[in-house]
Amino acid sequence: MYKKGCSVHFAPYPLENLRKLEAENDFSSRLAMTEELKTMPFGVVWDYYLQTYDIPVCFDWIADVKKYERDVQLKRG
């Protein structure tokens, strides 16, 4: 079953969300959100395509990136 694309999730207040992420020094999430905004409105179609192949969409993949940053990159020093 298709879940709604995240492009629609934050569309009403993208600037507020971007500022919040920047204030939290969460630049990887900020970059991901900026890229999602660039794909509006066709991003929802792309999200559906990815979901048909069980590929994470929207910010579902950002948790994997943050885990990698924490477990691998930070240990490099």
Side-chain angles (χ1 to χ4, degrees):
M1 173 150 209
Y2 174 66
K3 77 176 187 184
K4 206 175 221 182
C6 74
S7 299
V8 180
H9 274 353
F10 54 82
Y13 309 104
L15 207 55
E16 290 176 24
N17 290 332
L18 290 171
R19 287 181 180 147
K20 179 181 175 243
L21 292 171
E22 191 167 331
E24 296 170 352
N25 292 325
D26 190 356
F27 299 112
S28 53
S29 294
R30 184 183 184 282
L31 176 63
M33 181 180 278
T34 304
E35 292 302 312
E36 285 290 329
L37 287 169
K38 289 179 185 178
T39 65
M40 288 181 69
F42 69 85
V44 178
V45 176
W46 181 246
D47 288 349
Y48 174 77
Y49 174 79
L50 293 176
Q51 285 180 339
T52 59
Y53 293 98
D54 293 323
I55 298 172
V57 297
C58 294
F59 294 112
D60 294 345
W61 58 270
I62 200 75
D64 294 335
V65 171
K66 294 206 175 287
K67 183 179 183 309
Y68 175 81
E69 288 173 346
R70 183 181 60 248
D71 297 344
V72 177
Q73 285 185 327
L74 290 178
K75 292 179 181 177
R76 290 182 184 167

